[in-house]
Amino acid sequence: MFNTASSAPVTTPSSGARKARLTSNQRPKWLVPAVGVASIVVGAALSALVGFNVALWAVFAAVLFLVAATLAVSLVEGPRNGADSLVTYLVYTAFVLAVVPLISVIWTVLANGLPGLNANLLLTSMNGVTGATDNAAVSGEAPVLGGAYHAIVGTVSITFWATLMSVPIGLLTAIYLVEYSKGAWLGRSITFFVDVMTGIPSIVAGLFAAALFGLLFGPSTRFGFVAAVALTVLMIPTVVKNTEEMLKIVPNELREASYALGVRKWRTITKVVIPTAISGIASGVTLAIARVIGETAPLLVTAGFATSINWNSFSGWMTTLPTYIYYQILTPTSPTNPDPSLQRAWAAALILIVIVMLLNLIARLVARAFAPKTAGR
Protein backbone atom coordinates (compact mmCIF):
# COMPACT_ATOMS: atom_id res chain seq x y z
CA MET A 1 0.00 0.00 0.00
CA PHE A 2 1.13 3.44 -0.79
CA ASN A 3 1.38 6.16 1.80
CA THR A 4 -1.15 8.70 0.68
CA ALA A 5 -0.38 11.16 3.49
CA SER A 6 0.83 14.38 1.98
CA SER A 7 3.72 16.21 3.58
CA ALA A 8 3.22 19.72 4.94
CA PRO A 9 3.99 22.43 2.39
CA VAL A 10 7.29 24.25 2.86
CA THR A 11 6.81 27.99 3.07
CA THR A 12 9.62 30.39 2.22
CA PRO A 13 9.65 33.79 3.90
CA SER A 14 9.01 36.71 1.65
CA SER A 15 11.76 39.21 0.87
CA GLY A 16 10.05 41.78 3.07
CA ALA A 17 10.09 39.42 6.04
CA ARG A 18 13.77 38.57 5.48
CA LYS A 19 14.61 42.28 5.30
CA ALA A 20 12.63 42.95 8.46
CA ARG A 21 14.60 40.27 10.36
CA LEU A 22 17.92 41.62 9.04
CA THR A 23 17.17 45.22 9.98
CA SER A 24 15.57 44.50 13.34
CA ASN A 25 17.26 46.18 16.29
CA GLN A 26 19.11 48.50 13.91
CA ARG A 27 18.70 52.22 13.98
CA PRO A 28 17.19 53.80 10.86
CA LYS A 29 19.44 55.95 8.76
CA TRP A 30 17.52 59.08 9.62
CA LEU A 31 17.82 58.70 13.41
CA VAL A 32 21.26 60.23 14.05
CA PRO A 33 20.83 63.11 11.53
CA ALA A 34 17.46 63.89 13.12
CA VAL A 35 19.06 63.96 16.57
CA GLY A 36 21.75 66.27 15.19
CA VAL A 37 19.19 68.70 13.77
CA ALA A 38 17.21 68.67 17.01
CA SER A 39 20.40 69.29 19.00
CA ILE A 40 21.23 72.31 16.84
CA VAL A 41 17.74 73.76 17.35
CA VAL A 42 17.65 73.14 21.09
CA GLY A 43 21.23 74.39 21.43
CA ALA A 44 20.25 77.64 19.74
CA ALA A 45 17.32 78.02 22.13
CA LEU A 46 19.49 77.40 25.21
CA SER A 47 22.11 79.82 23.92
CA ALA A 48 19.44 82.48 23.40
CA LEU A 49 18.32 82.11 27.01
CA VAL A 50 21.75 83.07 28.37
CA GLY A 51 22.68 85.56 25.65
CA PHE A 52 23.08 84.21 22.13
CA ASN A 53 26.62 83.45 21.05
CA VAL A 54 27.75 81.30 18.14
CA ALA A 55 30.48 79.56 20.13
CA LEU A 56 28.10 78.87 23.03
CA TRP A 57 25.52 77.61 20.54
CA ALA A 58 28.04 75.14 19.11
CA VAL A 59 29.01 73.91 22.58
CA PHE A 60 25.38 73.37 23.63
CA ALA A 61 24.56 71.60 20.36
CA ALA A 62 27.62 69.32 20.59
CA VAL A 63 26.91 68.27 24.18
CA LEU A 64 23.22 67.70 23.48
CA PHE A 65 24.03 65.63 20.41
CA LEU A 66 26.51 63.50 22.37
CA VAL A 67 23.95 62.67 25.07
CA ALA A 68 20.85 62.34 22.88
CA ALA A 69 22.48 60.33 20.08
CA THR A 70 24.01 57.87 22.55
CA LEU A 71 20.67 57.34 24.32
CA ALA A 72 18.83 56.90 21.02
CA VAL A 73 21.27 54.29 19.75
CA SER A 74 21.23 52.47 23.11
CA LEU A 75 17.42 52.27 23.11
CA VAL A 76 17.29 50.88 19.56
CA GLU A 77 20.38 48.68 19.30
CA GLY A 78 21.20 47.88 22.91
CA PRO A 79 23.76 49.07 25.45
CA ARG A 80 26.74 47.50 23.66
CA ASN A 81 26.22 49.47 20.45
CA GLY A 82 25.29 52.45 22.58
CA ALA A 83 28.68 52.36 24.29
CA ASP A 84 30.38 52.08 20.90
CA SER A 85 28.43 55.05 19.57
CA LEU A 86 29.28 57.02 22.73
CA VAL A 87 33.00 56.81 21.95
CA THR A 88 32.39 57.63 18.28
CA TYR A 89 30.24 60.65 19.00
CA LEU A 90 32.64 61.73 21.76
CA VAL A 91 35.37 61.99 19.10
CA TYR A 92 33.03 64.03 16.88
CA THR A 93 32.12 66.30 19.79
CA ALA A 94 35.76 66.85 20.73
CA PHE A 95 36.52 67.73 17.11
CA VAL A 96 33.71 70.29 17.02
CA LEU A 97 34.76 71.83 20.33
CA ALA A 98 38.36 72.08 19.09
CA VAL A 99 37.43 73.65 15.76
CA VAL A 100 34.95 76.18 17.15
CA PRO A 101 37.59 78.45 18.78
CA LEU A 102 39.71 78.35 15.62
CA ILE A 103 36.78 79.28 13.41
CA SER A 104 35.70 81.93 15.89
CA VAL A 105 39.17 83.54 15.91
CA ILE A 106 39.45 83.50 12.12
CA TRP A 107 35.94 84.88 11.68
CA THR A 108 36.49 87.65 14.24
CA VAL A 109 39.80 88.72 12.70
CA LEU A 110 38.35 88.66 9.18
CA ALA A 111 35.24 90.58 10.18
CA ASN A 112 37.21 93.30 11.96
CA GLY A 113 40.37 93.31 9.87
CA LEU A 114 39.09 93.28 6.29
CA PRO A 115 37.50 96.78 6.49
CA GLY A 116 40.87 98.28 7.39
CA LEU A 117 42.96 96.25 4.94
CA ASN A 118 43.84 98.53 2.04
CA ALA A 119 46.80 99.83 0.06
CA ASN A 120 47.37 102.67 2.51
CA LEU A 121 47.83 100.22 5.40
CA LEU A 122 50.21 98.02 3.40
CA LEU A 123 52.33 100.75 1.82
CA THR A 124 52.64 103.51 4.43
CA SER A 125 53.94 103.84 7.97
CA MET A 126 52.78 105.80 11.00
CA ASN A 127 55.35 108.51 10.44
CA GLY A 128 53.65 111.92 10.72
CA VAL A 129 50.26 110.50 11.79
CA THR A 130 48.86 112.37 14.80
CA GLY A 131 45.67 112.51 16.79
CA ALA A 132 44.42 115.32 14.56
CA THR A 133 44.71 112.98 11.58
CA ASP A 134 42.49 110.38 13.23
CA ASN A 135 40.03 113.04 14.40
CA ALA A 136 39.68 114.24 10.83
CA ALA A 137 39.11 110.66 9.67
CA VAL A 138 36.38 110.11 12.26
CA SER A 139 34.62 113.34 11.29
CA GLY A 140 34.72 112.28 7.65
CA GLU A 141 36.99 115.08 6.50
CA ALA A 142 39.77 112.68 5.42
CA PRO A 143 40.39 108.94 5.04
CA VAL A 144 42.10 106.88 7.73
CA LEU A 145 45.81 107.47 7.22
CA GLY A 146 48.76 105.61 8.64
CA GLY A 147 49.73 102.02 7.95
CA ALA A 148 51.71 99.02 9.11
CA TYR A 149 54.34 98.91 6.37
CA HIS A 150 57.18 99.54 8.82
CA ALA A 151 55.82 96.83 11.14
CA ILE A 152 55.65 94.31 8.30
CA VAL A 153 59.26 95.10 7.36
CA GLY A 154 60.37 94.72 10.98
CA THR A 155 58.51 91.43 11.44
CA VAL A 156 59.97 89.87 8.30
CA SER A 157 63.49 91.12 9.05
CA ILE A 158 63.63 90.02 12.69
CA THR A 159 62.00 86.66 11.98
CA PHE A 160 64.43 86.05 9.10
CA TRP A 161 67.49 86.55 11.29
CA ALA A 162 66.00 84.47 14.10
CA THR A 163 65.24 81.62 11.70
CA LEU A 164 68.67 81.86 10.11
CA MET A 165 70.32 81.40 13.51
CA SER A 166 67.99 78.93 15.21
CA VAL A 167 67.34 76.39 12.43
CA PRO A 168 70.98 75.30 11.86
CA ILE A 169 71.67 75.18 15.60
CA GLY A 170 68.48 73.26 16.34
CA LEU A 171 68.94 70.88 13.41
CA LEU A 172 72.56 70.04 14.27
CA THR A 173 71.68 69.60 17.95
CA ALA A 174 68.90 67.16 17.08
CA ILE A 175 71.22 65.23 14.76
CA TYR A 176 73.76 64.89 17.56
CA LEU A 177 71.14 63.71 20.06
CA VAL A 178 69.72 61.07 17.71
CA GLU A 179 72.73 59.91 15.70
CA TYR A 180 75.78 60.47 17.91
CA SER A 181 75.03 60.88 21.61
CA LYS A 182 74.03 57.23 22.24
CA GLY A 183 72.68 58.16 25.67
CA ALA A 184 75.93 59.71 26.88
CA TRP A 185 75.99 62.26 29.68
CA LEU A 186 76.36 65.16 27.25
CA GLY A 187 73.30 64.09 25.31
CA ARG A 188 71.27 63.73 28.50
CA SER A 189 72.41 67.15 29.67
CA ILE A 190 71.46 68.76 26.35
CA THR A 191 68.04 67.11 26.46
CA PHE A 192 67.49 68.37 30.00
CA PHE A 193 68.43 71.97 29.16
CA VAL A 194 66.32 71.90 25.98
CA ASP A 195 63.32 70.78 28.03
CA VAL A 196 63.97 73.59 30.51
CA MET A 197 64.31 76.16 27.72
CA THR A 198 60.98 75.05 26.26
CA GLY A 199 59.18 76.48 29.29
CA ILE A 200 61.13 79.73 29.58
CA PRO A 201 58.80 82.79 29.58
CA SER A 202 59.33 84.94 26.53
CA ILE A 203 60.11 88.04 28.57
CA VAL A 204 63.06 86.20 30.15
CA ALA A 205 64.50 85.56 26.68
CA GLY A 206 64.08 89.25 25.88
CA LEU A 207 65.80 90.31 29.10
CA PHE A 208 68.66 87.89 28.39
CA ALA A 209 69.24 89.34 24.90
CA ALA A 210 68.94 92.91 26.19
CA ALA A 211 71.43 92.23 29.02
CA LEU A 212 73.87 90.49 26.67
CA PHE A 213 73.97 93.30 24.15
CA GLY A 214 73.90 95.83 26.96
CA LEU A 215 77.20 94.40 28.20
CA LEU A 216 78.68 94.42 24.69
CA PHE A 217 77.44 97.75 23.35
CA GLY A 218 76.28 99.68 26.37
CA PRO A 219 72.99 99.99 28.25
CA SER A 220 69.70 100.65 26.45
CA THR A 221 70.99 99.01 23.26
CA ARG A 222 67.98 98.25 21.11
CA PHE A 223 67.85 97.20 17.48
CA GLY A 224 66.38 94.45 15.36
CA PHE A 225 69.15 91.90 15.72
CA VAL A 226 68.86 91.96 19.51
CA ALA A 227 65.21 90.97 19.13
CA ALA A 228 66.25 88.23 16.69
CA VAL A 229 68.60 86.79 19.33
CA ALA A 230 65.77 86.81 21.88
CA LEU A 231 63.50 84.97 19.45
CA THR A 232 66.30 82.52 18.69
CA VAL A 233 66.37 81.51 22.35
CA LEU A 234 62.66 80.71 22.07
CA MET A 235 62.90 78.97 18.68
CA ILE A 236 65.82 76.62 19.29
CA PRO A 237 64.04 74.29 21.78
CA THR A 238 61.05 73.90 19.45
CA VAL A 239 63.26 73.13 16.46
CA VAL A 240 65.34 70.65 18.47
CA LYS A 241 62.36 68.74 19.90
CA ASN A 242 60.46 68.52 16.59
CA THR A 243 63.53 67.57 14.55
CA GLU A 244 64.57 64.99 17.14
CA GLU A 245 61.18 63.29 16.99
CA MET A 246 61.20 63.29 13.18
CA LEU A 247 64.68 61.76 13.04
CA LYS A 248 63.71 59.06 15.53
CA ILE A 249 60.89 57.76 13.33
CA VAL A 250 63.20 57.18 10.36
CA PRO A 251 63.55 53.36 10.16
CA ASN A 252 66.95 52.03 11.21
CA GLU A 253 66.82 49.68 8.22
CA LEU A 254 67.46 52.67 5.94
CA ARG A 255 70.59 53.57 7.89
CA GLU A 256 71.81 49.96 7.94
CA ALA A 257 71.26 49.58 4.22
CA SER A 258 73.30 52.70 3.59
CA TYR A 259 76.09 51.51 5.87
CA ALA A 260 76.06 48.12 4.14
CA LEU A 261 76.82 49.87 0.85
CA GLY A 262 79.86 51.49 2.40
CA VAL A 263 78.36 54.98 2.74
CA ARG A 264 79.84 57.05 5.52
CA LYS A 265 77.71 58.16 8.43
CA TRP A 266 77.65 61.87 7.65
CA ARG A 267 76.60 61.14 4.08
CA THR A 268 73.94 58.71 5.28
CA ILE A 269 72.53 61.45 7.49
CA THR A 270 72.52 64.08 4.73
CA LYS A 271 71.34 61.84 1.90
CA VAL A 272 69.07 59.32 3.62
CA VAL A 273 67.96 60.35 7.10
CA ILE A 274 67.27 64.06 6.62
CA PRO A 275 65.50 63.70 3.22
CA THR A 276 63.26 61.02 4.74
CA ALA A 277 62.30 63.27 7.65
CA ILE A 278 62.34 66.59 5.77
CA SER A 279 58.56 66.94 5.74
CA GLY A 280 58.31 66.74 9.53
CA ILE A 281 61.38 68.93 9.98
CA ALA A 282 59.88 71.64 7.77
CA SER A 283 56.64 71.47 9.76
CA GLY A 284 58.64 71.79 12.98
CA VAL A 285 60.46 74.87 11.68
CA THR A 286 57.12 76.39 10.70
CA LEU A 287 55.75 75.72 14.19
CA ALA A 288 58.84 77.36 15.69
CA ILE A 289 58.37 80.46 13.52
CA ALA A 290 54.67 80.61 14.38
CA ARG A 291 55.67 80.29 18.03
CA VAL A 292 57.77 83.46 18.00
CA ILE A 293 56.32 85.63 15.24
CA GLY A 294 53.53 86.80 17.53
CA GLU A 295 55.69 87.55 20.57
CA THR A 296 55.39 91.05 21.99
CA ALA A 297 57.11 91.28 25.37
CA PRO A 298 60.67 90.33 24.29
CA LEU A 299 60.48 92.68 21.33
CA LEU A 300 59.49 95.66 23.45
CA VAL A 301 62.68 95.37 25.51
CA THR A 302 65.01 94.51 22.60
CA ALA A 303 63.79 96.26 19.44
CA GLY A 304 61.86 99.19 20.86
CA PHE A 305 59.10 100.89 18.88
CA ALA A 306 59.34 103.24 15.90
CA THR A 307 56.80 104.96 13.67
CA SER A 308 59.00 105.07 10.57
CA ILE A 309 60.54 102.41 8.35
CA ASN A 310 63.91 100.94 9.32
CA TRP A 311 65.46 98.42 6.95
CA ASN A 312 68.66 97.95 8.96
CA SER A 313 68.34 95.25 11.62
CA PHE A 314 71.70 96.24 13.13
CA SER A 315 70.93 99.87 13.88
CA GLY A 316 67.96 101.79 15.22
CA TRP A 317 64.66 100.78 16.72
CA MET A 318 62.29 98.56 14.76
CA THR A 319 58.60 97.88 14.96
CA THR A 320 56.98 94.48 14.46
CA LEU A 321 53.35 93.62 13.90
CA PRO A 322 52.75 92.40 17.48
CA THR A 323 54.19 95.57 19.01
CA TYR A 324 52.32 97.67 16.45
CA ILE A 325 49.04 96.01 17.45
CA TYR A 326 49.91 96.44 21.13
CA TYR A 327 50.55 100.16 20.86
CA GLN A 328 47.55 100.80 18.61
CA ILE A 329 45.25 99.27 21.22
CA LEU A 330 46.99 100.43 24.40
CA THR A 331 47.85 103.97 23.32
CA PRO A 332 45.58 105.01 20.42
CA THR A 333 46.86 107.80 18.21
CA SER A 334 43.81 109.82 19.22
CA PRO A 335 42.65 108.92 22.74
CA THR A 336 39.32 110.65 22.15
CA ASN A 337 38.70 108.77 18.87
CA PRO A 338 40.30 105.30 19.16
CA ASP A 339 38.36 103.72 16.27
CA PRO A 340 41.03 104.34 13.58
CA SER A 341 43.68 102.79 15.82
CA LEU A 342 41.48 99.78 16.50
CA GLN A 343 40.90 99.41 12.76
CA ARG A 344 44.65 99.41 12.13
CA ALA A 345 45.19 96.88 14.94
CA TRP A 346 42.65 94.41 13.55
CA ALA A 347 44.03 94.77 10.05
CA ALA A 348 47.58 94.18 11.34
CA ALA A 349 46.37 91.05 13.15
CA LEU A 350 44.92 89.79 9.87
CA ILE A 351 48.24 90.46 8.12
CA LEU A 352 50.06 88.51 10.83
CA ILE A 353 47.78 85.50 10.33
CA VAL A 354 48.29 85.66 6.56
CA ILE A 355 52.08 85.73 7.01
CA VAL A 356 51.94 82.61 9.19
CA MET A 357 49.77 80.86 6.60
CA LEU A 358 52.20 81.80 3.82
CA LEU A 359 55.12 80.47 5.86
CA ASN A 360 53.22 77.23 6.37
CA LEU A 361 52.61 76.97 2.63
CA ILE A 362 56.28 77.64 1.86
CA ALA A 363 57.33 74.95 4.33
CA ARG A 364 55.01 72.46 2.65
CA LEU A 365 56.44 73.28 -0.76
CA VAL A 366 60.01 72.97 0.51
CA ALA A 367 59.24 69.62 2.11
CA ARG A 368 57.62 68.40 -1.08
CA ALA A 369 60.58 69.51 -3.20
CA PHE A 370 63.23 67.84 -1.02
CA ALA A 371 61.31 64.73 0.00
CA PRO A 372 62.70 61.44 -1.40
CA LYS A 373 61.10 60.47 -4.68
CA THR A 374 59.08 57.28 -4.71
CA ALA A 375 58.01 55.04 -7.56
CA GLY A 376 54.63 56.67 -7.79
CA ARG A 377 55.98 60.20 -8.14
Side-chain angles (χ1 to χ4, degrees):
M1 294 180 65
F2 297 98
N3 185 10
T4 58
S6 61
S7 60
V10 179
T11 59
T12 59
S14 63
S15 60
R18 289 198 302 270
K19 184 176 181 181
R21 286 201 299 269
L22 290 174
T23 58
S24 61
N25 296 330
Q26 290 186 5
R27 63 179 183 270
K29 295 181 178 179
W30 53 265
L31 178 61
V32 175
V35 172
V37 173
S39 300
I40 293 174
V41 175
V42 177
L46 293 177
S47 178
L49 292 177
V50 296
F52 184 80
N53 182 277
V54 175
L56 192 61
W57 177 20
V59 171
F60 280 147
V63 174
L64 288 173
F65 173 78
L66 174 63
V67 176
T70 302
L71 290 176
V73 173
S74 299
L75 291 176
V76 176
E77 298 184 354
R80 183 175 181 179
N81 289 335
D84 180 74
S85 65
L86 172 63
V87 177
T88 302
Y89 300 146
L90 184 62
V91 173
Y92 294 161
T93 304
F95 171 75
V96 171
L97 295 180
V99 170
V100 164
L102 176 62
I103 297 177
S104 177
V105 169
I106 294 176
W107 175 261
T108 303
V109 175
L110 285 174
N112 293 278
L114 282 177
L117 191 63
N118 49 45
N120 178 73
L121 182 82
L122 298 174
L123 301 177
T124 62
S125 67
M126 291 296 293
N127 192 23
V129 178
T130 62
T133 307
D134 283 359
N135 293 335
V138 171
S139 62
E141 300 175 1
V144 177
L145 301 177
Y149 181 51
H150 61 306
I152 297 173
V153 172
T155 297
V156 173
S157 176
I158 293 174
T159 305
F160 168 77
W161 287 112
T163 304
L164 193 64
M165 290 186 289
S166 61
V167 171
I169 296 174
L171 181 60
L172 293 175
T173 303
I175 291 174
Y176 171 78
L177 292 176
V178 176
E179 304 292 338
Y180 291 96
S181 69
K182 305 300 181 182
W185 67 270
L186 181 58
R188 295 195 302 270
S189 300
I190 293 174
T191 301
F192 171 76
F193 286 114
V194 167
D195 292 338
V196 171
M197 289 176 63
T198 303
I200 287 179
S202 59
I203 187 62
V204 175
L207 292 175
F208 161 75
L212 175 63
F213 280 84
L215 291 174
L216 296 176
F217 301 100
S220 302
T221 300
R222 294 185 182 181
F223 49 86
F225 191 76
V226 184
V229 171
L231 297 186
T232 300
V233 175
L234 299 174
M235 286 185 67
I236 287 177
T238 305
V239 175
V240 171
K241 298 301 292 186
N242 283 280
T243 304
E244 185 181 2
E245 294 301 322
M246 291 301 105
L247 295 179
K248 284 181 179 179
I249 65 175
V250 175
N252 284 327
E253 289 79 4
L254 295 178
R255 299 179 176 89
E256 294 170 356
S258 179
Y259 298 151
L261 295 174
V263 181
R264 294 185 177 183
K265 188 167 187 175
W266 70 268
R267 195 165 181 83
T268 298
I269 294 172
T270 56
K271 296 296 184 180
V272 177
V273 177
I274 292 179
T276 304
I278 189 63
S279 179
I281 293 174
S283 299
V285 172
T286 305
L287 289 175
I289 295 174
R291 158 81 170 83
V292 302
I293 199 172
E295 290 291 347
T296 305
L299 301 181
L300 290 174
V301 298
T302 54
F305 181 79
T307 59
S308 58
I309 301 171
N310 179 15
W311 290 90
N312 188 0
S313 300
F314 298 91
S315 177
W317 289 15
M318 297 188 75
T319 299
T320 60
L321 285 170
T323 56
Y324 176 83
I325 296 169
Y326 173 80
Y327 274 102
Q328 287 295 316
I329 295 177
L330 186 65
T331 58
T333 308
S334 174
T336 56
N337 291 307
D339 290 343
S341 295
L342 292 177
Q343 179 177 311
R344 298 189 196 100
W346 280 110
L350 178 58
I351 294 172
L352 191 61
I353 291 177
V354 171
I355 291 176
V356 173
M357 293 177 63
L358 290 177
L359 291 173
N360 190 21
L361 176 61
I362 293 172
R364 300 278 181 175
L365 294 177
V366 170
R368 185 181 182 89
F370 288 95
K373 302 298 186 291
T374 60
R377 296 182 61 179

